[in-house]
Amino acid sequence: MKSQNSFVKLAAALIASVSLFSLSSSFATAADKQANPYGLIQPNELRVASLGDAKPYTFTDASGNFTGFDVEFFTDVAKRIGINKVVFIGQDFAGILPSVANGRYDVGVAAIGITPARSKTVDFSDGYLAGYLTVLTRKDSGVTDVNSLAKHRMAVVQGTLQENYAVQHFTQTDLVRFPDNNAAISALNNGTVDADFLDYEAAKDYAARFNLIHAADIPSFDAPAGFAIAKDKPEFKAALNKAIQASMQDGTWKKLYEKWFPGSPMPKQYLPKSS
Ligand code: SNW
């Protein structure tokens, strides 16, 4: 009898302590949620994987600060969700999505096209840019359009939609893979390759700087750029989307677009509904 009694007491004590423990841990998660509702690495800061050489989307200026359309637009979006500290860190493009997926960064911002394949690794915000992929070339290269690309060497940055597209559509072209835009454009300028396949606005910038020409502009509207975040962060994703829509509706997106992409056609879906 006695031993049964103490067993009951022990069991009761155990149950009490377990439920106390789970109570306190559910308090802790509720408090965490309040202090860090979006599940960020640091609650009041956004750590952003980006690119230092994708002007005018994202690049570093003469003093090493990140700037460009994506940088200013994301900084505006961050402010709208109450975060003023946004830290951009330059990566190779191919490293961005894996490191966002494994939690080294809160978000990836670099004109990253939303595709079903990439959506297996990360989640994306709503789209905020839709444009073209450009084959850029020298005037003396012999490349004048997509048909004359055969037998020529063309640069692509590893992991980009351009690499994918070229593998599928330019099967007679010798692809030369580079880690970043700087290396790819140097190869074009020094004659190691005859073309460089990159985003339209970056191509436009290089064309003006180095006297290069667009041999082809290929629509990529089915893969609009979005902000990449780790999977299973519905609160973070919803907050980003709400802020993106607010920035588009009050004309901020439009103002930044005109600043960074002067003369480029503006996708209507991102303009204020009233206009
Ligand atoms: O798919 C396009 C989109 O329509 C818009 O023009 C912005 O660029 C894209 O997202 C394609 N960007 C490439 C990619 O996602 C390369 C990104 C980069 O070089 N930073 O692979």
Side-chain angles (χ1 to χ4, degrees), residues 22-203:
S22 59
L23 197 69
S24 68
S25 75
S26 71
F27 272 140
T29 49
D32 282 356
K33 273 233 149 148
Q34 212 169 33
N36 190 4
Y38 307 131
L40 305 177
I41 298 165
Q42 296 285 328
N44 296 310
E45 175 180 321
L46 280 159
R47 292 178 61 78
V48 184
S50 191
L51 297 175
D53 67 350
K55 191 179 180 182
Y57 302 95
T58 133
F59 63 103
T60 46
D61 65 16
S63 25
N65 297 315
F66 278 82
T67 186
F69 174 85
D70 291 54
V71 169
E72 290 199 344
F73 181 56
F74 184 73
T75 304
D76 174 75
V77 163
K79 208 171 282 165
R80 289 172 199 262
I81 67 172
I83 300 175
N84 294 312
K85 187 168 179 205
V86 184
V87 183
F88 289 86
I89 299 127
Q91 294 288 298
D92 285 352
F93 187 79
I96 294 178
L97 296 184
S99 51
V100 167
N102 74 22
R104 263 172 55 107
Y105 299 97
D106 296 305
V107 51
V109 175
I112 306 169
I114 304 167
T115 67
R118 288 173 175 172
S119 300
K120 287 182 185 156
T121 313
V122 292
D123 275 350
F124 283 100
S125 71
D126 291 348
Y128 63 87
L129 280 179
Y132 298 83
L133 314 179
T134 295
V135 176
L136 192 66
T137 191
R138 291 183 317 275
K139 288 177 178 155
D140 67 355
S141 70
V143 176
T144 51
D145 55 19
V146 289
N147 299 317
S148 53
L149 265 177
K151 307 279 184 304
H152 284 278
R153 284 159 66 80
M154 180 168 73
V156 289
V157 171
Q158 270 162 355
T160 58
L161 296 184
Q162 285 83 352
E163 180 186 22
N164 249 326
Y165 187 96
V167 166
Q168 283 176 38
H169 296 91
F170 304 143
T171 51
Q172 304 302 305
T173 302
D174 197 359
L175 296 182
V176 187
R177 291 165 174 82
F178 291 93
D180 54 41
N181 284 313
N182 277 341
I185 205 73
S186 307
L188 178 59
N189 283 326
N190 71 27
T192 318
V193 297
D194 286 324
D196 179 14
F197 195 22
L198 72 174
D199 279 359
Y200 174 83
E201 299 291 346

Side-chain angles (χ1 to χ4, degrees), residues 226-248:
F227 303 134
I229 65 172
K231 284 191 167 291
D232 302 320
K233 293 194 169 185
E235 292 89 355
F236 188 26
K237 183 169 154 175
L240 289 176
N241 285 342
K242 194 174 161 204
I244 288 170
Q245 297 311 325
S247 182
M248 287 173 177

